[in-house]
Amino acid sequence: MVKTTIKRKTRDEILELSVPLFAKDGYDGVSMRDVAAAIGLTPAALYYHFTDKEQLYLDVMAHEFREKPSELTSVLKGLEPPWVRLEMYITKFAQLVATDKNFLRLIQWMRLDSNVARHQKLAEYVFKDIFDPVHELAAELDSRYDAHMLAMSIIALVSFPFESTIRQFMPGYRPEQEKPSVVAKHAIDLLRAGLSKPAS
Amino acid sequence: MVKTTIKRKTRDEILELSVPLFAKDGYDGVSMRDVAAAIGLTPAALYYHFTDKEQLYLDVMAHEFREKPSELTSVLKGLEPPWVRLEMYITKFAQLVATDKNFLRLIQWMRLDSNVARHQKLAEYVFKDIFDPVHELAAELDSRYDAHMLAMSIIALVSFPFESTIRQFMPGYRPEQEKPSVVAKHAIDLLRAGLSKPAS
DNA sequence: GTCTATATAAGGATAGAC
DNA sequence: GTCTATCCTTATATAGAC
């Protein structure tokens, strides 16, 4: 019982410390030597815990994405009206993405993965819990829109400002725009009201 | 005169054929051997044309992003009212992104580049021409919104559906949603009208 | 301009001692 | 469980012939 916990200690530590490495440099950009050095082990030791590099990466992803999305989802199980739930979800999502930089970068790397099987497996594992509830909500919100596209748009409005680090170099940039509250408010306002109508 | 053209032939061919390689697998995922094989040369020959791999990559990016954004921008120079220009821009942008898969993937890879100097250089080189005109337009469209955030949102609504290949595995997905016309229309509708108001 | 050959390093992975 | 030592492959890059 205790033994299992002890046994897993190193393994969990490896996973935990690997997250920022893979988030920063991606699968190809991280070597087993890099990981080993970060933990304070030799590369050989890693192969006691993981069969190969791919398995380590997969386990790192599972470790990172096990709980986070379900925390998000919990907000949507409530009985509040759709708009209230939307605002809560957007607020929480913005907070998550702003707080945990690794989370979003791992997803960005994942999206570029050319390995179709691995890509799909991760997509379903990670993104299903993020997207599905938004999709359901989108269907409730406004039947004029394609729920899939609307869900996509909601996620895009929140996550894109954090993905696009290059906007730092673009006109009108201010550091406050990185605050989750600012991003969330902008997304909510835009979704709520749209733009002022053309003077047609 | 003619000589210059002939001289540049191989070089341009290398750049042209490298684009899809770097778009698919990113900087670390492409070896000089890969590039050489794609052209039908030996790796050594590449070093006659480019000092090193980084220079090749930089030149590939410059090659890919030299003209595309300025085609987009041309739409925005017109004297039409802001809304007309917005619709034209969104339509064209969606078309570009849908047609040229390499374009977007190269940007996605760029965003994950941890090399700050290279990242910034590319960002300014590539994205300035895409973002600046949208930012100007955003300022004209609706003064209630932060122009920077609004410009970001416009780009997000159009590009995100194409970046997020994982949406293929999400509920409500239909192949038509990959058509630029569908994405553009959705973005325009959403921006124009927003969602139906909450029954508050 | 492109080749062959090769230097040099980095990376994944394993064997066997402790 | 973790180490040392090492194998094998792949990668960037260069030297010098053609």
Side-chain angles (χ1 to χ4, degrees):
Chain A
M1 341 274 126
V2 181
K3 206 174 163 202
T4 322
T5 313
I6 292 173
K7 246 189 177 175
R8 297 230 158 244
K9 200 198 147 225
T10 305
R11 190 192 140 92
D12 281 347
E13 198 182 2
I14 294 171
L15 295 178
E16 196 66 26
L17 293 173
S18 295
V19 167
L21 297 183
F22 284 113
K24 178 168 186 287
D25 294 324
Y27 184 80
D28 286 333
V30 177
S31 69
M32 294 301 265
R33 286 170 168 81
D34 293 333
V35 174
I39 322 289
L41 291 177
T42 60
L46 297 177
Y47 288 90
Y48 173 81
H49 298 278
F50 307 93
T51 64
D52 56 18
K53 185 185 171 184
E54 169 139 351
Q55 193 55 56
L56 166 62
Y57 170 70
L58 255 22
D59 288 351
V60 166
M61 294 295 278
H63 174 80
E64 174 71 3
F65 292 110
R66 185 138 298 172
E67 283 118 26
K68 313 239 163 173
S70 62
E71 283 177 37
L72 269 182
T73 311
S74 67
V75 179
L76 297 184
K77 300 287 187 206
L79 296 170
E80 293 88 353
W83 259 97
V84 176
R85 278 180 285 147
L86 177 65
E87 291 188 14
M88 287 183 351
Y89 187 83
I90 287 179
T91 303
K92 263 211 160 185
F93 189 37
Q95 220 138 37
L96 167 62
V97 164
T99 308
D100 186 351
K101 291 291 182 194
N102 295 327
F103 181 84
L104 199 48
R105 279 187 73 95
L106 286 176
I107 292 178
Q108 288 181 268
W109 285 116
M110 187 189 78
R111 287 204 293 246
L112 287 166
D113 195 341
S114 289
N115 182 327
V116 183
R118 188 171 61 188
H119 186 271
Q120 171 165 3
K121 211 170 106 186
L122 286 173
E124 289 177 350
Y125 189 77
V126 172
F127 241 70
K128 218 168 177 42
D129 289 346
I130 295 183
F131 191 89
D132 283 12
V134 184
H135 182 258
E136 279 183 54
L137 182 58
E140 285 184 69
L141 273 170
D142 192 330
S143 60
R144 292 174 302 173
Y145 295 102
D146 177 334
H148 176 91
M149 292 299 287
L150 182 53
M152 189 61 53
S153 296
I154 291 167
I155 293 173
L157 288 175
V158 176
S159 69
F160 199 81
F162 297 102
E163 292 187 31
S164 183
T165 53
I166 55 181
R167 68 190 190 78
Q168 289 189 335
F169 315 119
M170 300 301 149
Y173 167 78
R174 286 172 297 125
E176 308 108 83
Q177 288 153 349
E178 267 157 35
K179 283 174 32 182
S181 57
V182 172
V183 172
K185 184 181 184 317
H186 175 80
I188 290 167
D189 287 349
L190 192 60
L191 287 169
R192 187 184 285 270
L195 302 175
S196 55
K197 306 303 170 293
S200 64
Chain B
M1 339 272 125
V2 181
K3 204 172 164 205
T4 322
T5 314
I6 291 174
K7 247 189 176 173
R8 298 227 157 245
K9 201 198 145 222
T10 306
R11 189 192 140 91
D12 281 347
E13 197 182 3
I14 294 172
L15 294 177
E16 194 67 26
L17 293 173
S18 295
V19 167
L21 297 183
F22 283 112
K24 179 168 184 288
D25 294 323
Y27 185 79
D28 286 333
V30 177
S31 68
M32 295 300 264
R33 284 171 166 80
D34 294 334
V35 174
I39 322 290
L41 291 178
T42 60
L46 297 177
Y47 288 90
Y48 173 81
H49 298 280
F50 307 93
T51 63
D52 56 18
K53 185 183 171 185
E54 169 139 349
Q55 193 54 57
L56 167 62
Y57 170 70
L58 254 21
D59 288 352
V60 166
M61 294 296 277
H63 174 80
E64 174 70 4
F65 291 110
R66 184 137 299 172
E67 283 118 25
K68 312 239 163 172
S70 62
E71 283 177 38
L72 270 183
T73 310
S74 67
V75 179
L76 297 184
K77 301 287 186 206
L79 296 169
E80 293 87 354
W83 260 97
V84 176
R85 279 179 284 147
L86 176 64
E87 291 187 15
M88 288 184 348
Y89 186 83
I90 287 179
T91 303
K92 263 211 158 184
F93 188 38
Q95 221 138 37
L96 167 62
V97 165
T99 308
D100 185 351
K101 290 292 182 194
N102 296 327
F103 181 85
L104 198 49
R105 280 187 72 96
L106 286 177
I107 292 177
Q108 288 181 266
W109 285 116
M110 188 189 77
R111 288 204 291 245
L112 287 167
D113 195 341
S114 290
N115 182 328
V116 183
R118 186 169 63 189
H119 186 272
Q120 172 166 1
K121 212 171 106 186
L122 286 173
E124 289 178 349
Y125 190 77
V126 171
F127 241 70
K128 214 160 182 48
D129 289 347
I130 294 182
F131 192 89
D132 283 12
V134 184
H135 181 259
E136 279 183 54
L137 182 58
E140 286 184 66
L141 273 169
D142 192 330
S143 59
R144 292 174 303 172
Y145 296 103
D146 178 334
H148 177 92
M149 292 299 287
L150 182 52
M152 189 60 54
S153 296
I154 291 167
I155 294 173
L157 288 175
V158 176
S159 70
F160 199 81
F162 298 102
E163 292 186 33
S164 183
T165 53
I166 56 182
R167 68 190 191 78
Q168 289 189 335
F169 314 119
M170 300 301 148
Y173 168 77
R174 286 170 297 125
E176 308 107 83
Q177 289 153 347
E178 269 157 33
K179 285 175 27 184
S181 57
V182 172
V183 172
K185 185 182 184 316
H186 175 80
I188 290 167
D189 288 349
L190 194 59
L191 287 169
R192 186 185 286 269
L195 302 175
S196 55
K197 306 303 170 293
S200 64

